[in-house]
Amino acid sequence: MYLRALIGLAEDGTTTCSSEELAATAGVNSAKLRKDLSYLGSYGTRGVGYDVEYLRYQIAREIGVTHDWPVVIVGIGNLGHALANYSGFRSRGFRVVALLDADPTRHDEVVAGLDVRSFEDLESIVSDNDVSIGVIATPAVAAQAVADRMVAAGITSILNFAPSVLAVPEGVGVRKVDLSIELQILAYHEQRKAVAPGSEDAS
Amino acid sequence: MYLRALIGLAEDGTTTCSSEELAATAGVNSAKLRKDLSYLGSYGTRGVGYDVEYLRYQIAREIGVTHDWPVVIVGIGNLGHALANYSGFRSRGFRVVALLDADPTRHDEVVAGLDVRSFEDLESIVSDNDVSIGVIATPAVAAQAVADRMVAAGITSILNFAPSVLAVPEGVGVRKVDLSIELQILAYHEQRKAVAPGSEDAS
DNA sequence: AGGAGTTTGTGAACGGGAGAACAAAACGAG
DNA sequence: CTCGTTTTGTTCTCCCGTTCACAAACTCCT
């Protein structure tokens, strides 16, 4: 998030910024921002602030966006389709090297300039392209099997969009994004507002 | 998440479950699960466990999924397209009532059985359908303007997929989902593994 | 009926993140 | 050179979520 904010500031022509400004742009408290940055090193100048370009480079280096990360996406339904086309991945240093789907009827399609290939090709794609990150956009029932296969093929980080809990070996990273749970959280607060307008729930 | 897990158990024919089982299914600690459920009330039976159907209904009622929530999606690019078609929304009680885009060249399209309409129609759609939840799937530069317009139209909960911090008045709920930040977090841990294999960073 | 075995609900301890506050450092004016 | 101003880096404190541990409560078997 700080990197995003810094890129925005750089595009606006800002060369120097204080923790207060950067924190406001990123939407956090300035003390928290300074503490977070201090874990990376001491890249600010007291009395002056942070050099936007320098800090931007340091954060980018630290979090690894200087690399180009190859990614495979499994499950080319609606969501997989959108992820394959999502420009935010490319601009953040991620390169989608393959789209896989278990359904043979989808293997004719070309999505985002890539052939949709058979899930059976996973192992060769992973080893040929040195892929370490996989994205699961399948239905929930298939997610665990896909994850197992990914791990066996050598993938060590998984981004899971299926609404299921994945069991993976030690050392494999998993992050889960559940689109409808986010909406449910909003709906919950909406309901609270409607049930007890302006007052705390006491039942 | 607990509701998801309960639905899964119900589909498997399970009628009763212990906190231990449900916690394992949902991927959390059993003590945490019991404490979370205790905030809703005392719906379990000591020595027996929880009745799956009963608990399922109680959670559904509490979080508001018994309602049918109308939703508008603004920004019908790749992501908006996928969200409009995403079956997970419908099955969780959300109904997409309109798709809006500021680009007139997109107004011809029909996505997920709905016409893509002009962003100008926001106010009438919101009042006609009593919409309180809006989804922003626009580029980052447009997000704040869309949010302002949504708030003015009467929307009180916003799910933001654009990578920007939204400023909204008190009382308006905002949740942010940033797809590429999730990948960046995975890439960060990947880099750490590569730089210091099997050892802690000490620099 | 009574005891053994389970499982919930909750009080207490632990850990970690977030904000307030302050010392250290840099810069500029006189 | 010195003093005042600004802003970082860091410590201290507070608060909240998580986990442990145990009493209360329920079932089943004898």
Side-chain angles (χ1 to χ4, degrees), chain B residues 2-3 5-6 21 40 48 51 66 75 77 82 93 107 109 116 129 139 156 158 160 175 184 187 191-192 199:
Chain B
Y2 301 151
L3 181 57
L6 284 168
E21 293 172 64
L40 309 185
V48 178
D51 181 273
T66 51
H107 296 165
E109 293 181 46
V116 176
N129 298 85
T156 49
I158 296 176
N160 179 29
R175 292 193 68 85
Q184 287 189 355
Q191 196 197 33
R192 294 273 291 215
S199 80

Side-chain angles (χ1 to χ4, degrees), chain A residues 153-165:
Chain A
I155 281 177
T156 50
S157 289
I158 296 175
L159 180 56
N160 178 29
F161 284 91
S164 63
V165 179

Side-chain angles (χ1 to χ4, degrees), chain A residues 132-182:
Chain A
S132 54
I133 299 177
V135 175
I136 299 179
T138 64
V141 288
Q144 182 63 57
V146 171
D148 292 345
R149 191 84 175 266
M150 280 184 170
V151 170
I155 281 177
T156 50
S157 289
I158 296 175
L159 180 56
N160 178 29
F161 284 91
S164 63
V165 179
L166 294 183
V168 296
E170 190 85 11
V172 176
V174 175
R175 292 193 68 85
K176 185 176 155 189
V177 175
D178 190 324
L179 301 179
S180 39
I181 275 194
E182 298 296 326

Side-chain angles (χ1 to χ4, degrees), chain B:
Chain B
M1 283 162 36
Y2 301 151
L3 181 57
R4 281 255 165 85
L6 284 168
I7 292 172
L9 288 175
E11 286 172 357
D12 295 349
T14 311
T15 59
T16 290
C17 71
S18 68
S19 63
E20 207 74 47
E21 293 172 64
L22 186 54
T25 311
V28 300
N29 183 289
S30 68
K32 173 167 159 49
L33 179 136
R34 288 200 299 276
K35 182 157 287 192
D36 287 344
L37 294 186
S38 75
Y39 289 118
L40 309 185
S42 195
Y43 297 133
T45 308
R46 302 183 184 204
V48 178
Y50 298 95
D51 181 273
V52 172
E53 276 305 322
Y54 182 55
L55 183 58
R56 174 181 168 179
Y57 170 72
Q58 293 297 340
I59 294 180
R61 185 182 53 77
E62 179 74 21
I63 68 177
V65 296
T66 51
H67 287 48
D68 183 66
W69 295 95
V71 172
V72 293
I73 300 178
V74 177
I76 312 302
N78 289 312
L79 192 55
H81 212 277
L83 295 174
N85 280 296
Y86 185 51
S87 59
F89 288 163
R90 182 183 302 261
S91 64
R92 304 277 155 209
F94 298 98
R95 186 166 42 90
V96 178
V97 296
L99 308 175
L100 308 181
D101 202 296
D103 181 359
T105 64
R106 287 218 177 95
H107 296 165
D108 300 335
E109 293 181 46
V110 175
V111 175
L114 288 167
D115 289 326
V116 176
R117 298 175 60 181
S118 166
F119 185 50
E120 299 304 314
D121 298 344
L122 178 68
E123 286 77 6
S124 62
I125 291 168
V126 168
S127 57
D128 289 354
N129 298 85
D130 203 23
V131 178
S132 54
I133 299 177
V135 176
I136 298 179
T138 65
V141 288
Q144 182 64 57
V146 171
D148 293 344
R149 192 85 176 266
M150 279 182 170
V151 171
I155 282 177
T156 49
S157 288
I158 296 176
L159 180 56
N160 179 29
F161 285 91
S164 63
V165 179
L166 294 183
V168 296
E170 189 84 11
V172 176
V174 175
R175 292 193 68 85
K176 185 177 156 188
V177 175
D178 190 324
L179 301 179
S180 40
I181 275 193
E182 297 297 326
L183 271 187
Q184 287 189 355
I185 292 168
L186 288 172
Y188 169 71
H189 290 296
E190 279 297 319
Q191 196 197 33
R192 294 273 291 215
K193 286 186 222 166
V195 168
S199 80
E200 258 59 300
D201 187 0
S203 68

